[in-house]
Amino acid sequence: MSGAAASGDSRPEFRAAGTDLSERRRSGVSKGALIDLIASPDMIGVRWSADGAAQIGAMTSVASIAADARLAAAYPGLAAAAGGLATPQVRSVATLGGNLAQRSRCWYFRNPHIACLKKGGASCPARTGNHLWGVAFDSSPCVAPHPSTLGAALSAYDATVDTNMRRIAVGPLLDGGPEGTADNALAPGEIIQSVALQTPRAGERALYQRAISRAYAEWPLVEVVARAVVSDGHFHFVRIVAGGVAATPIRLPAVETAAEGAPATIATVTEAAAHCADGAKTLPATAYKIDLLRGLLRDVGEALIR
């Protein structure tokens, strides 16, 4: 999944539900032969280890993840993220693996007549063009944020992905490399088979929230997955991952550090949220995303301490 010419990507592509692939083929961005995936039994559904850790098959539908009561109890941030993305119709057919492996949502990439880094071009046209939905943490030649909501949630849970070739953490899987030419680190012929989560922490809480440009059926401008253990009136474990703001979903260590060990109060939440811009490098049109991120952090932080 590296680059292709602006006239269309002619390489073969795997198809599971094909919710995004169908749109790319309709527009002419993708033109290659299709290889339909046939799910083996272990690629669908959730299996649980003796210590309460879940392994989810890559062809499990997003709707199934959102509706699974045991997953919601153990990994509420993941279940909420699954229930918040796309539409009910899309969630019913879209798969976990497909959500992780989806292609860029950048309108330059989606235009079959415009070359960009991800289609074999020499530069990122969004950087000097319309990048209103671009990154606020500019760390890649490509300024499109990664579109995977489940990737953000699974990053917050330190999940790992098993493919037909290897085991890799979610963060590195979603990293398209320093050249900005790919949407992920999948090699040719590599297929996501399942995702493994760690055993939940005792007493932890988790929430997911997103800011979008319209009420329904939209990719997030900014999204946040927050995990915390609150006991004795203090934060004893904090994990914050933001999506929609960088080339991959990113942790916000300055926010986590500001809350870790501090009283679980609105004052702490406000102070921690103020650190969301630490390390940010906005584009001319994306500074608003820091304001959205700060607001989401305050919202989820206050909800976690109620």
Side-chain angles (χ1 to χ4, degrees):
M1 287 194 174
S2 53
S7 60
D9 189 337
S10 60
R11 292 165 301 177
E13 293 193 79
F14 293 115
R15 178 172 62 182
T19 53
D20 180 51
L21 177 59
S22 297
E23 190 279 330
R24 296 201 314 274
R25 292 180 70 84
R26 179 197 60 76
S27 68
V29 171
S30 295
K31 297 182 177 181
L34 295 179
I35 303 172
D36 285 313
L37 296 176
I38 305 300
S40 59
D42 59 352
M43 289 182 71
I44 299 177
V46 184
R47 287 161 295 284
W48 296 88
S49 67
D51 60 358
Q55 183 174 23
I56 309 173
M59 293 188 72
T60 305
S61 73
V62 174
S64 296
I65 294 171
D68 191 303
R70 188 172 179 183
L71 277 179
Y75 310 102
L78 173 61
L85 66 86
T87 65
Q89 295 89 341
V90 170
R91 291 194 296 269
S92 69
V93 294
T95 63
L96 169 59
N99 189 270
L100 292 174
Q102 66 182 292
R103 304 299 303 276
S104 172
R105 298 304 307 173
C106 176
W107 35 55
Y108 292 102
F109 171 78
R110 295 280 162 164
N111 187 323
H113 306 296
I114 297 177
C116 74
L117 290 169
K118 286 185 167 62
K119 292 185 291 184
S123 64
C124 173
R127 182 174 289 279
T128 54
N130 188 340
H131 53 252
L132 185 63
W133 290 0
V135 299
F137 291 75
D138 184 9
S139 60
S140 169
C142 171
V143 300
H146 200 282
S148 178
T149 287
L150 295 186
L154 291 167
S155 294
Y157 285 103
D158 297 317
T160 56
V161 174
D162 286 317
T163 75
N164 58 330
M165 299 181 181
R166 57 179 168 164
R167 170 168 287 188
I168 181 173
V170 169
L173 174 75
L174 301 183
D175 188 343
E179 294 82 17
T181 58
D183 290 301
N184 53 60
L186 290 169
E190 188 170 16
I191 301 169
I192 299 172
Q193 295 181 321
S194 64
V195 174
L197 293 104
Q198 298 183 3
T199 305
R201 288 177 176 260
E204 80 165 75
R205 311 169 186 181
L207 290 169
Y208 168 80
Q209 282 200 20
R210 57 169 44 192
I212 56 179
S213 61
R214 63 185 182 187
Y216 300 105
E218 186 60 283
W219 275 262
L221 297 169
V222 179
E223 57 190 343
V224 168
V225 182
R227 299 171 61 199
V229 173
V230 180
S231 63
D232 301 323
H234 288 73
F235 288 111
H236 294 287
F237 170 80
V238 180
R239 180 63 50 82
I240 307 289
V241 170
V245 296
T248 62
I250 57 171
R251 282 183 60 182
L252 300 176
V255 177
E256 296 173 355
T257 299
E260 189 72 41
T265 63
I266 291 178
T268 293
V269 168
T270 301
E271 179 183 350
H275 288 278
C276 70
D278 291 13
K281 184 181 178 183
T282 62
L283 304 171
T286 62
Y288 76 96
K289 287 199 170 189
I290 297 300
D291 293 331
L292 291 178
L293 179 57
R294 186 180 299 110
L296 288 178
L297 289 169
R298 287 198 297 260
D299 288 346
V300 297
E302 291 175 13
L304 285 171
I305 63 177
R306 288 177 189 154

